[in-house]
């Protein structure tokens, strides 16, 4: 009998070892670039070395088509174990019950105390539950080309919307040059919101009854300002279709003089431009002296369908751990979610002063998109692209644009309020 029990125990151990050896995790990244993917591969390799027998398949979706492609994967039942979760998608998947509650894991994680308060707050934006651990934050500021400014006779860094437009006009008078690298394609909502809110003098998206403010006169004034930048020729003609890679390339190539972007744009710009040839300034302010740069975030989530949740958490913890998080953000350009990152020499460098100056300005009001709305992901990644391009091309007016956005978001917000 003893021999049978011993043999059974050995067999169980062998089977367990075999199961461990066969553990395969699927990781999806959606905000992609070659540099980001290589960095991700390096962090994953560290995880695999620390967890023998566990392998990770990385699936990289190009950001411009990521929303639709990932939705197709989910519809086909091809959900990952861990994925890079943009803030604008979190509510959509969390409210469908598709994301794992990470609170039990956080409670036992010895590195949880090093996550800053903002990271934990934003990660719990749905039902006050950590369905995502943000890896970093994206705050918009304005890059400017010092050489193009000098050539165009722009002697002062523009501080207001009026000065911004005048600088764009002067640069655009130069042969083959444009004042502003406009993001008219995927991911373009931020520009519309920042200029719209700044012209409006307020960044409130809704009234108390849930009615969207996008159709209000102040917002329409800002939408008109943004549309006119394109119509007046102050942005490249093909920028109506530009996404992240195109606007960043437009800046470092010297095609256009100003670019609103997060710190992630520094990666490509710093490689191709001398530090003395460009600067980073606070977003231009409106008539009331305030500006409303968007602040976004992204992080890591676990899908509730994962069949290897303990291993998936270990992978997520490696990505969010101190070494992984700082290494990742140095390549992605986001401001890290770790408290300890503040002492890292990399973030004390000259290139980040523009963002820290913006953060310390009392008249700078960071704007958080209403990502808590389940319908927001479709709004941002589909409806906005189509309708804003129509406005830039003169097919609809800024008033019609604001009304269409207001109609869509009012329904979503009032539906949300009805559930509270």
């Amino acid at each position: 009998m003893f021999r049978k029990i011993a043999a059974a125990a050995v067999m169980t151990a062998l089977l367990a070892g075999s199961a461990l050896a066969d553990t395969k995790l699927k990781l999806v990244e959606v905000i992609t670039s070659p540099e980001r993917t290589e960095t991700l591969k390096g962090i994953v390799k560290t995880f695999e070395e620390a967890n023998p027998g566990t392998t990770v398949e990385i699936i990289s979706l190009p950001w411009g088509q990521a929303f639709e492609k990932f939705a197709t994967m989910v519809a086909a039942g091809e959900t990952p174990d861990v994925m890079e979760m943009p803030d604008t998608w979190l509510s959509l998947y969390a409210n469908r019950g598709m994301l794992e509650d990470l609170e039990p894991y956080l409670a036992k994680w010895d590195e949880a105390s090093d996550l800053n308060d903002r990271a934990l707050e934003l990660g719990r934006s749905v039902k006050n539950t950590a369905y995502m651990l943000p890896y970093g934050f994206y705050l918009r500021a304005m890059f400017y080309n010092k050489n193009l400014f000098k050539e165009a006779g722009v002697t002062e860094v523009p501080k207001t919307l009026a000065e911004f437009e005048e600088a764009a006009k002067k640069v655009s008078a130069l042969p083959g040059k444009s004042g502003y690298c406009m993001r008219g394609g995927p991911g373009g909502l931020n520009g519309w919101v920042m200029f719209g809110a700044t012209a409006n003098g307020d960044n409130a998206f809704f009234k108390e009854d849930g009615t969207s403010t996008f159709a209000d006169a102040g917002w329409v004034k800002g939408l008109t300002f943004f549309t006119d930048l394109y119509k007046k020729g102050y942005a490249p003609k093909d920028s109506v279709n530009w996404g992240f890679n195109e606007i960043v390339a437009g800046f470092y190539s010297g095609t256009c003089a100003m670019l609103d972007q997060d710190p992630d744009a520094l990666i490509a710009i710093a490689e191709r431009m001398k530090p003395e040839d460009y600067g980073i300034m606070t977003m231009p302010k409106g008539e009331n002296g305030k500006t409303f740069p968007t602040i976004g975030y992204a992080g890591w989530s676990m899908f509730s369908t994962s069949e290897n949740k303990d291993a998936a958490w270990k992978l997520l913890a490696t990505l969010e751990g101190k070494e992984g998080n700082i290494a990742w953000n140095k390549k992605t350009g986001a401001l890290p979610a770790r408290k300890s990152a503040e002492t890292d020499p990399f973030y004390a460098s000259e290139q980040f002063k523009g963002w820290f100056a913006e953060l310390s300005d009392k008249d700078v009001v960071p704007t958080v998109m209403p990502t808590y709305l389940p319908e927001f992901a479709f709004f941002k990644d589909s409806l906005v692209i189509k309708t804003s391009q129509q406005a830039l091309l003169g097919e609809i007016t800024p008033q019609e644009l604001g009304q269409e956005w207001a109609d869509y978001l009012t329904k979503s917000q009032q539906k949300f309020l009805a559930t509270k």
Side-chain angles (χ1 to χ4, degrees):
M1 177 63 71
F2 175 77
R3 289 181 179 178
K4 289 182 179 180
I5 294 174
V10 171
M11 183 59 69
T12 299
L14 289 173
L15 290 173
S18 176
L20 180 63
D22 292 335
T23 300
K24 295 181 180 179
L25 300 176
K26 184 184 294 184
L27 169 63
V28 171
E29 63 163 338
V30 298
I31 310 174
T32 54
S33 72
E35 295 86 358
R36 294 168 74 103
T37 301
E38 285 305 308
T39 302
L40 183 60
K41 288 179 179 178
I43 300 172
V44 166
K45 182 180 179 182
T46 299
F47 166 79
E48 291 176 334
E49 290 174 347
N51 295 272
T54 303
T55 58
V56 180
E57 175 190 2
I58 298 175
I59 299 173
S60 301
L61 302 179
W63 176 241
Q65 299 87 41
F67 180 73
E68 290 80 6
K69 285 183 178 293
F70 188 72
T72 300
M73 287 177 59
V74 171
E78 299 174 1
T79 52
D81 296 279
V82 176
M83 76 164 291
E84 181 181 17
M85 180 64 68
D87 54 356
T88 53
W89 300 12
L90 179 61
S91 178
L92 176 65
Y93 290 106
N95 280 310
R96 289 180 179 177
M98 303 183 76
L99 302 183
E100 186 72 8
D101 177 359
L102 300 177
E103 297 290 356
Y105 299 97
L106 275 174
K108 299 177 182 178
W109 192 35
D110 58 5
E111 294 189 48
S113 61
D114 192 36
L115 296 177
N116 61 46
D117 293 340
R118 175 66 77 171
L120 291 170
E121 174 191 341
L122 295 175
R124 291 170 171 149
S125 62
V126 178
K127 302 178 182 178
N128 197 31
T129 300
Y131 290 115
M132 178 243 270
L133 294 186
Y135 56 66
F137 314 105
Y138 297 91
L139 177 66
R140 288 293 168 96
M142 189 70 73
F143 289 75
Y144 63 96
N145 186 310
K146 295 180 180 179
N147 295 329
L148 283 179
F149 270 16
K150 183 177 181 180
E151 188 178 349
V154 180
T155 57
E156 298 288 338
V157 174
K159 296 180 176 62
T160 66
L161 287 179
E163 291 173 358
F164 174 85
E165 183 177 9
E166 183 61 23
K169 178 180 179 180
K170 288 182 177 180
V171 173
S172 299
L174 299 174
K177 303 299 180 183
S178 297
Y180 176 52
C181 292
M182 178 176 285
R183 188 168 182 171
L189 177 61
N190 293 61
W192 294 93
V193 165
M194 289 186 295
F195 283 96
T198 299
N200 184 45
D202 190 275
N203 65 349
F205 291 105
F206 302 102
K207 300 171 186 177
E208 288 188 10
D209 64 355
T211 303
S212 169
T213 58
F214 269 126
D216 291 359
W219 276 99
V220 171
K221 180 181 178 181
L223 300 179
T224 302
F225 177 90
F226 198 74
T227 303
D228 285 348
L229 289 174
Y230 183 79
K231 291 183 176 180
K232 291 177 180 178
Y234 301 162
K237 188 174 182 180
D238 57 348
S239 66
V240 67
N241 294 311
W242 281 8
F244 175 81
N245 291 331
E246 291 82 7
I247 59 172
V248 174
F251 183 77
Y252 66 62
S253 67
T255 299
C256 36
M258 291 180 285
L259 163 73
D260 70 82
Q261 253 310 316
D262 311 311
D264 55 351
L266 276 172
I267 298 169
I269 292 171
E271 289 178 353
R272 296 168 175 86
M273 296 181 72
K274 297 177 181 178
E276 62 269 22
D277 289 342
Y278 68 96
I280 297 164
M281 64 187 184
T282 297
M283 291 294 296
K285 297 177 179 179
E287 293 179 1
N288 67 349
K290 296 185 181 297
T291 186
F292 302 89
T294 53
I295 185 169
Y297 58 99
W300 307 108
S301 291
M302 185 196 308
F303 263 71
S304 55
T305 50
S306 174
E307 296 179 357
N308 300 287
K309 291 178 181 176
D310 287 342
W313 165 253
K314 288 181 180 179
L315 172 59
L316 198 155
T318 301
L319 293 163
E320 190 74 5
K322 182 177 179 180
E323 291 185 8
N325 183 253
I326 293 179
W328 176 251
N329 284 296
K330 283 181 179 179
K331 285 296 183 182
T332 64
L335 301 173
R338 309 282 305 211
K339 297 174 184 176
S340 55
E342 297 175 11
T343 60
D344 191 286
F346 180 84
Y347 293 100
S349 62
E350 183 73 23
Q351 60 189 3
F352 284 96
K353 283 187 176 180
W355 281 280
F356 293 134
E358 194 171 56
L359 283 170
S360 65
D361 188 334
K362 61 180 178 61
D363 290 320
V364 173
V365 184
T367 297
V368 179
M369 298 282 196
T371 56
Y372 58 86
L373 297 174
E375 297 83 3
F376 187 76
F378 172 79
F379 172 74
K380 174 181 179 291
D381 293 320
S382 186
L383 178 64
V384 165
I385 298 173
K386 177 185 176 181
T387 54
S388 63
Q389 288 178 333
Q390 288 175 327
L392 292 174
L393 296 173
E395 297 171 4
I396 61 174
T397 66
Q399 290 84 358
E400 290 171 327
L401 178 68
Q403 190 63 59
E404 188 160 354
W405 290 4
D407 290 344
Y408 182 89
L409 289 178
T410 294
K411 292 178 182 178
S412 181
Q413 177 71 357
Q414 291 182 343
K415 177 181 175 183
F416 172 77
L417 292 176
T419 64
K420 294 185 70 175

